[in-house]
Amino acid sequence: MSNLTLWGFDASTYVRTVKMLLAEKGCTDFQQVQINVLAGECKSAEHLARHPFGKVPVLDHDGLRVLEATAITRYLNDMLPGPSLVPTTPRDRARMDMMMGVIDAYGYGALVGGVAAYHLFPDFVGGKNEAMHQAGLDNGRKLLALAMQTRGTSPFMAGDLSLADLYLAPIAFYVSLTPDAGALFDVPGFADWWARVQALRSYRETQPNLG
């Protein structure tokens, strides 16, 4: 699998999602090329040739280029040996797909753009915006409440560990570094889910070095 190349830097939540998937599959034979989003490297002509919108991650494998974490994780899940991170039942697949879509549409902007960025990297989003921060808190709590309602009595959001958990875990990591973590994480069921996620080897092994 040495012809597998992942473009994107470790601090990206979506890159970490892909690396967690690789770890869960036991795949270590891949090359990662760091593309520092915070330093603007994703807007270089070289990277724009890979991804016209200047995003990460990007995956190259056997002449195939795959953009966006959803497509990349689905592809790697199907292509690599090891336990599947996609549920086998229609009901659980629906739970996974729903939460991945909700996290993409509402969770990332709220929890990373509205909360984590406010405290950890405000300059990257144009400075501290109080209205954006408050909206992030409000919508972030709605997102986490929905995630735990969707999980119900299951150990993870869609039954067993799935791509949905790998989507939310890196985002929750950044929130955990902020003063807002206590208020946001005070959602029924979240503490148990978060403890399970933090115990995963794939979570521990992919924690970014933030200097």
Side-chain angles (χ1 to χ4, degrees):
M1 201 60 61
S2 57
N3 57 348
L4 187 66
T5 302
L6 174 65
W7 304 86
F9 79 141
D10 290 338
S12 161
T13 64
Y14 286 116
V15 171
R16 188 177 183 187
T17 292
V18 174
K19 292 185 72 175
M20 286 183 70
L21 182 280
L22 289 167
E24 289 293 332
K25 289 286 192 174
C27 177
T28 58
D29 188 14
F30 67 95
Q31 178 186 12
Q32 181 180 356
V33 180
Q34 298 286 335
I35 304 291
N36 192 328
V37 174
L38 296 178
E41 293 176 0
C42 58
K43 302 302 182 183
S44 69
E46 183 181 6
H47 188 66
L48 288 171
R50 296 185 198 101
H51 194 308
F53 299 100
K55 301 294 185 180
V56 293
V58 173
L59 182 79
D60 285 337
H61 178 237
D62 274 348
L64 174 68
R65 175 159 289 166
V66 189
L67 312 183
E68 301 299 313
T70 301
I72 292 170
T73 51
R74 287 278 196 169
Y75 174 71
L76 290 173
N77 183 73
D78 290 344
M79 186 266 296
L80 293 172
S84 177
L85 277 293
V86 174
T88 58
T89 69
R91 184 185 186 92
D92 288 344
R93 280 198 303 276
R95 288 201 285 171
M96 181 194 77
D97 288 337
M98 178 182 77
M99 286 313 308
M100 289 172 67
V102 170
I103 291 165
D104 267 339
Y106 313 108
Y108 182 89
L111 293 170
V112 176
V115 177
Y118 179 87
H119 294 289
L120 304 176
F121 38 92
D123 292 344
F124 185 67
V125 293
K128 291 192 172 186
N129 183 309
E130 298 299 336
M132 185 181 295
H133 179 222
Q134 188 58 54
L137 292 171
D138 295 342
N139 290 326
R141 189 172 175 85
K142 289 178 187 177
L143 180 283
L144 295 179
L146 178 60
M148 293 306 107
Q149 289 166 12
T150 301
R151 173 185 173 237
T153 58
S154 301
F156 293 100
M157 274 190 278
D160 293 330
L161 182 69
S162 76
L163 299 180
D165 303 290
L166 273 53
Y167 256 60
L168 184 56
I171 295 173
F173 165 73
Y174 279 114
V175 174
S176 74
L177 303 179
T178 75
D180 295 321
L184 282 167
F185 290 174
D186 187 22
V187 169
F190 183 85
D192 178 68
W193 175 85
W194 187 224
R196 291 175 185 271
V197 166
Q198 290 178 292
L200 295 171
R201 189 177 70 176
S202 61
Y203 177 87
R204 299 194 307 270
E205 291 180 349
T206 58
Q207 185 159 314
N209 180 1
L210 302 179

